[in-house]
Amino acid sequence: MTQQDSKTTSPDALKIAPESPLAADLDLLFQRHTQDMHADTPPESIHMLDRSDLVAPEIGFFVMRDAGRPVAMGALKRIDATHAEIKSMHVLAEDRGRGLSRTMLTALLDAARDRGYRRVSLETGIQPTFIAARALYQRAGFVECGPFQGYGPDPNSVFMTCEL
């Protein structure tokens, strides 16, 4: 499938489901996610989880596939019975511009509601490369907040939360 073909795939070909983050065909997603996080964020401000750390009872990991090809991922990490954190949300660069980030975020928020969470929070970067992500979260109802469980103040981080 060419890049152009992937941009015109029917929405019916898109599937989002829980999967193991250790699946071999997710290597590219994790490589790109790691590269993006290290591109302009100081190492001490990178708060992403290692791939193996996403395999935990308190984490739900989801993959978006386009006609079987993994194009996006995201995770929900339980903080407590009513609060979860979005982790490792990433869409392959060649598949951006199709609304897949919005679709993945909606799926994660729906999964959070299904699990009984009433609040979802996240940490993202302050750097220009994260402007689009912050705008996506704001459009979905997220507002800036202070650091939440496990985080401290970080000049390279923006903390956001959304009441469901």
Side-chain angles (χ1 to χ4, degrees):
M1 179 182 301
T2 67
Q3 184 173 345
Q4 182 60 32
D5 291 336
S6 70
K7 292 206 181 276
T8 59
T9 301
S10 159
D12 295 335
L14 289 175
K15 304 288 184 224
I16 300 173
E19 293 191 26
S20 169
L22 302 179
D25 71 343
L26 302 180
D27 289 350
L28 181 62
L29 271 170
F30 280 100
Q31 289 167 4
R32 297 275 187 82
H33 181 57
T34 300
Q35 288 169 353
D36 282 0
M37 295 304 101
H38 287 271
D40 60 0
T41 303
E44 67 275 9
S45 294
I46 296 173
H47 303 288
M48 70 180 208
L49 293 174
D50 288 331
R51 189 174 181 173
S52 61
D53 291 336
L54 290 166
V55 182
E58 70 274 11
I59 296 176
F61 181 79
F62 299 84
V63 175
M64 177 189 291
R65 292 180 178 271
D66 184 350
R69 182 176 63 90
V71 295
M73 65 181 184
L76 278 175
K77 180 182 177 187
R78 182 183 192 276
I79 293 174
D80 63 36
T82 62
H83 188 194
E85 177 184 7
I86 292 178
K87 298 294 289 182
S88 301
M89 194 166 129
H90 185 84
V91 175
L92 292 176
E94 58 269 27
D95 288 288
R96 293 178 188 160
R98 302 171 50 200
L100 300 184
S101 294
R102 182 179 62 250
T103 301
M104 177 56 85
L105 179 59
T106 299
L108 292 172
L109 294 176
D110 288 346
R113 285 183 193 93
D114 291 346
R115 291 168 186 215
Y117 298 125
R118 293 192 301 262
R119 179 176 163 211
V120 176
S121 300
L122 59 88
E123 178 275 337
T124 190
I126 194 123
Q127 298 82 359
T129 53
F130 295 98
I131 290 172
R134 291 192 309 271
L136 169 73
Y137 299 135
Q138 288 172 337
R139 286 191 305 273
F142 283 80
V143 295
E144 287 191 30
C145 64
F148 50 93
Q149 184 182 7
Y151 294 99
D154 185 333
N156 295 295
S157 291
V158 175
F159 300 97
M160 303 180 84
T161 196
C162 179
E163 299 292 329
L164 301 178

